[in-house]
Amino acid sequence: MTLTGRSIIGSQLAEPCGKAFHAVNPATGQSLEPAYYSASDSDVNQAAAAAARAFEVYSRATGKAKAAFLRKIAEKIEGLGDDLVNRAVAETALPPARIKTEIGRTCFQLRIFAQLVEEGSWVSARIDRPDPHRTPIPKPDMRSLERPLGPVAVFCASNFPLAYSVAGGDTASALAAGNPVVVKGHNAHPGTAEMVGQAVRDAVRDCGLPEGVFSLVFDSGIEVGVALVNHPEIKAVGFTGSRQGGRALMNAAALRPVPIPVYAEMSSVNPFFILPGAMKERGAEIAKGLHASVTVGAGQFCTKPGVIIPAADVENSAPVREFVSSFGELMKAPADFTLLTERIHSAYFDGVRARGAKQGISSVAQNLPEQNAAGFRVGTSLFETEASSFLGDATLQDEIFGPSTLLVRHSSREQLFEIARNLEGHLTATIHGTEEDLREYADLVALLESKVGRLIFNGYPTGLEVGHATVHGGPYPATSDGRTTSVGTQAIHRFARLVCYQNFPDAALPGELQNDNPLGIWRLIDGQMTRDAVSSVPKVQAKST
Ligand code: NAP
């Protein structure tokens, strides 16, 4: 495929008139051709206006039609073959195997959303039958379901060039719900974005959908993203990136004359607890698993364990000492990682330097890349601190994006609970324990439930499974809205809203709410979950107490 360096506005390519930038190969620091051009104000207006026009048609597309479209996108992406793998490797320095896995995950996500909308019950249809004889006021016929919001702006993630970029989870969930999407590409991988963007545009054409269902805009800075979030035709935003970036977009969206929701997945340090029984039984094995989890993908995962709380160090306990020593040895071993962008690279060095200079922090391992190493190279780093220092400094919960982590030592059960109580919102928390540990620390599980979106037992937080039950969310500042998930099929509900039809004639209702249930979906009729037609559901009188 020939790369053009131009934004895709519906079926058209934008004129190459804005500021130009190039992708950079993180392994070498060399720029990659072609030049990419920032979208102009007029490009953003055209993309948003086309999306608004397309919404009138696409929001009414059947589940079958949307499913065919999502499957067509997956097929087109797979059709890009090695060209896509090679370009993504050049732009990210991620190994080909990782890129191939990510292509697989991207297509799987598209297909699982296709299955969801084809089946159709995701709309949460509810029907409360009328009672014209109720006194003193007759009861009306009330029927509700979830409907799409309108055009969605999606910001690509630097660290997932495919699975959380142009046709990634945010786009798939927004399209599945019935919303057109305008994607803002990430400067780290514009060529990958353009290839996938062309695949989505071709899928729109092949499926006979209005061209405004999809656009992709590039930008050398932040202006285009800000313009999108402020555009009156944009009705919601999906974002994965830094806390500063997410927060700036949340603020901008809240200040609009008509505020809109921003679903931002920002930063998390994923606290990792090792309880005494597990520490005694398999401390060395946990050290190995943890090292792999901290360093996989060069530590550039939002699920990386960035704060480790080993069991209480009661009287210099031998199992804790041995765990700390073996984990320290693994983190000290020579290692050389390449980060995704110059900005992430310099943020890593700044973060590690600042943490190392803090009172009460000691550096256990500090691997530096060879001097003059080409590209955005870093080594691992491991810090250690005491509970009192951790509790006194909120910045120790800040994410250092890259292969770095922090051990928090403590000397009592009470201190462990104090640490847990002081955690801010994170995406995950992990507990390693035995059955006896779990019984003894049941309150810890209850406490962590209010802090994170996913609790992991005897496992590692990296390597998230995508499915119907997946939750990848958590209270602020992990995300902008802790009630939702950005991964898995429940992400669709972020881009839909409830609408209620009162006393409508059957023929004028959406198929999902019609008496005969022509789509065969699960519905809640007078409080009973069923796939039956309205007339077949027996009326149950609510009991009065
Ligand atoms: P980022 O700086 O937040 O950028 C993400 C996207 O948002 C980029 O397209 C960026 O545009 C745009 N953006 C950022 N600030 C904006 C603003 N104020 N207004 C409008 N658009 C804005 O994230 P990043 O480039 O991916 O990486 C930087 C840092 O983010 C990392 O060091 C890491 O700490 C964090 N990060 C976290 C996760 C996670 O999953 N937790 C994932 C990725 C990154 P430009 O590129 O043009 O600035």
Side-chain angles (χ1 to χ4, degrees), residues 158 184 186 221 239 241-242 245 248-249 265-266 302 343 399 401:
S158 58
K184 148 76 169 74
H186 198 288
F239 169 92
S242 65
L249 299 183
E265 195 258 272
M266 296 176 284
C302 44
R343 190 165 62 191
E399 178 182 58
F401 204 58

Side-chain angles (χ1 to χ4, degrees), residues 59 81 108 146 163 205 246 251 287 312 333 388 405 421 485 490:
S59 61
F108 173 77
E146 290 189 49
R205 181 199 59 216
N251 293 348
S388 54
T405 193
R421 231 171 256 123
T485 174
Q490 294 181 94

Side-chain angles (χ1 to χ4, degrees), residues 229-248:
V229 172
N230 282 316
H231 200 287
E233 298 291 10
I234 295 295
K235 304 298 181 201
V237 178
F239 169 92
T240 306
S242 65
R243 191 181 301 180
Q244 296 92 308
R247 188 68 217 218

Side-chain angles (χ1 to χ4, degrees), residues 21 154-160 184-189 219-227 229 239-249 252 265-270 300-303 339-341 343-348 399-402 427 472 478:
F21 68 97
V154 169
F155 286 71
C156 294
S158 58
N159 57 339
F160 279 99
K184 148 76 169 74
H186 198 288
N187 294 0
H189 33 70
D219 188 14
S220 63
I222 62 169
E223 291 77 12
V224 168
V226 172
V229 172
F239 169 92
T240 306
S242 65
R243 191 181 301 180
Q244 296 92 308
R247 188 68 217 218
L249 299 183
E265 195 258 272
M266 296 176 284
S267 64
S268 176
V269 297
N270 307 297
Q300 300 169 110
F301 282 125
C302 44
T303 49
L339 298 185
L340 289 158
T341 66
R343 190 165 62 191
I344 291 175
H345 183 249
S346 59
Y348 182 78
E399 178 182 58
I400 296 184
F401 204 58
L427 294 168
H472 188 63

Side-chain angles (χ1 to χ4, degrees), residues 77-141:
I77 292 173
E78 284 164 346
L80 294 168
D82 284 345
D83 284 357
L84 179 61
V85 177
N86 295 339
R87 180 72 192 195
V89 168
E91 290 186 330
T92 62
L94 293 169
R98 153 76 194 272
I99 296 295
K100 284 181 187 162
T101 309
E102 232 192 280
I103 293 172
R105 175 171 164 170
T106 307
C107 295
F108 173 77
Q109 288 177 155
L110 289 159
R111 290 188 173 114
I112 198 174
F113 276 110
Q115 201 184 21
L116 183 82
V117 295
E118 196 167 49
E119 191 281 328
S121 304
W122 74 272
V123 297
S124 314
R126 290 176 174 222
I127 298 173
D128 292 342
R129 283 177 286 194
D131 181 358
H133 306 298
R134 190 181 70 176
T135 54
I137 309 164
K139 185 177 173 219
D141 182 299

